[in-house]
């Protein structure tokens, strides 16, 4: 459920008509709804109620500081995967003790940044990383709290590019070797072992892979405790999927996901962390674009938008589906026709949808991509020297530009030409 609904035939973000935003900031733009962010965050709070827990928003899904500040205000922690994301979360007002640092390639500089600024824990993904972290922490006179990310060798049954829990993926240490690595960690001077971490992938549409992975984590918790480790926190990752296609069956609900957590690790007397990104921010955002041309092709017609693959790469990168709807509500029963919906970038991959049935659309009309709040703006680039598009945040009848469109001067002045050219 989201707060982007037609009212009097016009698509709104909460109480704001989208054409009003388009008139003020131009197209294309991203728009996020505070009420939807809140609702989705609260679903996880409800799902874990009664458990000692912290919901850490996966910053990589949407890292705008206004979004982070809104979620932090509700009590969310943050899961970051780079020094830049760590600094963004701090800049948004999130205290270090609510920031978890994940990622397979943390550098010594990033570790230093987080140790100095304060950190809840590092989720360590390899033995060399453990050694580096211990050395960095020791050099600062500190001890780094850690979990070790285990790879449970579970098929998340999602897109291959976002599956992370199979043994052939680069993430975590094989769960079969975990006891040796924990023993090694416990012996390092700059390391304090506090728990276990697992994250098996993104856009999961079934609960069974979570159940299998979390059951393995519960077994490992008992084994590590028997080995003498004080396992008091389990970070269970993110990954719950969202319905990108309204006409499809819906993925599992956070409440049912919470039941899986209770069933598998609920009796272990641990603090539970989860790291949802997409389910909190995905349906809380739209990408709004203008139609530049309607082009009649040979056997197929094209809608050429002012948004492109550089603004929203998911269709080009993962073959992902986004529902695309006109901002002015079509009349009931109006006839639809198939279009290839494309952007202006000079690549055939710049195609959002093929042969998508659409109601009549004309140049100058606005269309909205649903479920674009996660892995949208954060993955954008300036390919074709197209400026990063603005982000807008709506709360009831107010809206604000939370990232402005850069001018061409700003973009062009970023390069410098050496005198010897
Ligand atoms: C990407 C990622 C997440 C968030 O995944 P979603 O599918 O957006 O919920 C959480 N934890 C880690 C370690 C990740 O890499």
């Amino acid at each position: 459920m989201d707060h982007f609904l037609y009212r009097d035939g016009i698509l709104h973000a909460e109480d704001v008509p989208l054409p009003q935003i388009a008139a003020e900031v131009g197209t294309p733009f991203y728009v996020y709804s505070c009420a939807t962010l809140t609702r989705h965050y609260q679903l996880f709070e409800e799902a874990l109620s009664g458990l000692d827990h912290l919901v850490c928003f996966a910053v990589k899904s949407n890292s705008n500081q206004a979004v982070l500040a809104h979620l932090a205000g509700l009590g969310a922690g943050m899961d970051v995967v780079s020094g830049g994301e760590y600094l963004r979360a701090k800049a948004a007002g999130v205290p270090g003790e609510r920031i978890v640092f994940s990622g397979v390639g943390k550098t010594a500089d990033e570790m230093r940044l987080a140790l100095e600024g304060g950190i809840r824990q590092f989720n360590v993904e390899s033995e060399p990383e453990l050694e580096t972290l211990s050395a960095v922490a020791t050099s600062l006179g500190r001890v780094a709290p850690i979990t070790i990310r285990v790879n449970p060798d579970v098929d998340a049954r999602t897109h291959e590019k976002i599956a992370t829990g199979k043994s052939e993926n680069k993430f975590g240490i094989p769960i079969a070797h975990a006891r040796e690595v924990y023993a090694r960690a416990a012996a390092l001077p700059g390391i304090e072992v506090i728990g276990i971490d697992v994250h098996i992938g993104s856009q999961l549409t079934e609960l069974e892979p979570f159940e299998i992975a979390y059951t393995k984590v519960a077994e490992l918790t008992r084994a590590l405790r028997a080995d003498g480790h004080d396992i008091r926190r389990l970070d269970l990752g993110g990954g719950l999927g969202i319905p990108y296609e309204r006409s499809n069956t819906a993925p599992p609900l956070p409440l049912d996901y919470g039941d899986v957590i209770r069933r598998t690790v609920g009796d272990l007397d641990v603090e539970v962390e989860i790291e949802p990104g997409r389910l909190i921010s995905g349906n809380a955002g739209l990408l709004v674009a203008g139609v530049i041309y309607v082009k009649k092709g040979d056997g197929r017609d094209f809608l050429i938008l002012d948004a492109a693959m550089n603004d929203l790469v998911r269709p080009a990168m993962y073959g992902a589906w986004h529902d695309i709807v006109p901002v002015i509500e079509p009349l009931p029963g109006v006839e639809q026709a198939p279009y290839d919906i494309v952007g202006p970038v000079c690549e055939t991959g710049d195609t959002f949808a093929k042969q998508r049935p659409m109601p009549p659309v004309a140049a100058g009309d606005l269309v909205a991509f649903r479920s674009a709040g996660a892995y949208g703006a954060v993955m954008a680039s300036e390919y074709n020297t197209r400026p990063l598009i603005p982000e807008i945040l709506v709360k009831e009848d107010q809206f604000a530009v939370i990232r402005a469109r850069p001018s061409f001067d700003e973009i062009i002045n970023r390069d410098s030409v050496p005198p010897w050219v």
Side-chain angles (χ1 to χ4, degrees):
M1 203 204 103
D2 61 39
H3 292 76
F4 302 108
L5 299 172
Y6 289 107
R7 285 194 204 164
D8 301 327
I10 298 169
L11 192 59
H12 282 58
E14 301 194 18
D15 301 332
V16 182
L18 293 176
Q20 187 188 336
I21 303 177
E24 242 170 86
V25 305
T27 55
F29 61 88
Y30 280 101
V31 55
Y32 311 126
S33 148
C34 282
T36 312
L37 289 166
T38 302
R39 181 186 144 76
H40 291 155
Y41 172 76
Q42 296 297 359
L43 288 177
F44 283 110
E45 281 295 328
E46 283 161 30
L48 298 185
S49 70
L51 291 171
D52 183 10
H53 70 272
L54 183 67
V55 177
C56 293
F57 175 62
V59 172
K60 76 173 196 271
S61 71
N62 186 319
S63 61
N64 191 291
Q65 286 174 60
V67 169
L68 303 185
H70 176 73
L71 291 170
L74 302 173
M78 299 288 152
D79 171 55
V80 304
V81 294
S82 70
E85 284 192 356
Y86 175 83
L87 292 174
R88 260 176 196 273
K90 289 298 289 276
V94 185
E97 61 268 23
R98 281 205 275 155
I99 304 177
V100 170
F101 205 140
S102 298
V104 71
K106 303 175 201 77
T107 64
D109 283 343
E110 290 176 314
M111 293 168 178
R112 208 168 289 121
L113 201 73
L115 282 165
E116 283 174 342
I119 191 80
R120 181 175 179 81
Q121 98 233 4
F122 293 91
N123 294 334
V124 174
E125 300 222 13
S126 66
E127 290 182 80
E129 185 191 337
L130 266 180
E131 310 273 345
T132 303
L133 181 57
S134 178
V136 172
T138 308
S139 75
L140 295 171
R142 290 175 203 232
V143 175
I146 67 132
T147 71
I148 294 177
R149 177 167 176 180
V150 293
N151 184 323
D153 195 20
V154 172
D155 184 353
R157 292 182 222 135
T158 183
H159 191 283
E160 61 168 335
K161 286 186 187 168
I162 49 176
T164 60
K166 283 289 282 173
S167 55
E168 70 251 32
N169 302 136
K170 69 182 175 183
F171 299 98
I173 59 150
I175 197 162
H177 301 165
R179 290 171 76 176
E180 294 137 61
V181 180
Y182 271 88
R184 179 83 195 103
L188 289 169
I191 297 291
E192 184 193 9
V193 171
I194 61 163
I196 307 173
D197 171 45
V198 70
H199 171 74
I200 57 174
S202 196
Q203 187 53 19
L204 272 72
T205 52
E206 299 164 55
L207 289 175
E208 201 191 0
F210 288 117
E211 178 126 22
I212 297 170
Y214 297 170
T215 302
K216 290 187 180 194
V217 168
E219 283 163 16
L220 181 63
T221 303
R222 295 188 185 98
L224 291 175
R225 283 177 171 171
D227 289 347
H229 301 285
D230 181 11
I231 302 299
R232 52 190 187 272
R233 184 179 294 164
L234 298 181
D235 182 333
L236 300 175
L240 198 56
I242 63 171
Y244 279 102
E245 208 175 332
R246 299 278 152 136
S247 51
N248 256 3
T249 51
L253 301 172
L255 266 184
D256 297 324
Y257 172 70
D259 285 341
V260 169
I261 292 176
R262 259 172 247 281
R263 227 174 16 246
T264 50
V265 307
D267 61 349
L268 289 173
D269 187 27
V270 283
E271 181 182 11
V272 170
E273 269 168 15
I274 54 170
E275 303 169 344
R278 193 188 306 270
L279 203 141
I280 292 178
S281 58
N283 285 333
L286 302 180
L287 167 63
V288 179
V291 177
I292 307 178
Y293 299 116
V294 181
K295 176 175 163 177
K296 300 272 173 206
D298 203 4
R300 58 176 68 206
D301 295 342
F302 297 90
L303 284 191
I304 302 176
L305 306 184
D306 59 8
M309 65 186 288
N310 69 296
D311 305 309
L312 177 67
V313 79
R314 298 187 66 262
M317 188 142 95
Y318 311 122
W321 175 286
H322 284 270
D323 281 347
I324 303 170
V325 298
V327 166
I328 302 301
E329 189 173 23
L331 297 171
V334 78
E335 204 168 314
Q336 303 208 330
Y339 289 96
D340 281 11
I341 304 178
V342 303
V345 161
C346 303
E347 294 210 17
T348 303
D350 186 21
T351 299
F352 292 119
K354 283 198 168 147
Q355 295 299 288
R356 181 74 64 90
M358 293 289 285
V361 192
D365 287 359
L366 298 174
V367 296
F369 291 68
R370 291 195 183 270
S371 312
Y375 308 105
V378 285
M379 285 186 153
S381 76
E382 289 177 342
Y383 188 38
N384 283 204
T385 307
R386 294 168 47 84
L388 290 181
I389 68 178
E391 293 174 271
I392 313 299
L393 187 65
V394 171
K395 182 179 183 183
E396 298 168 2
D397 62 353
Q398 322 168 61
F399 72 92
V401 177
I402 56 173
R403 188 175 69 196
R405 196 189 309 274
S407 69
F408 283 117
D409 278 350
E410 283 173 72
I411 296 174
I412 288 159
N413 291 339
R414 237 185 269 140
D415 301 351
S416 50
V417 180
W420 36 262
V421 165

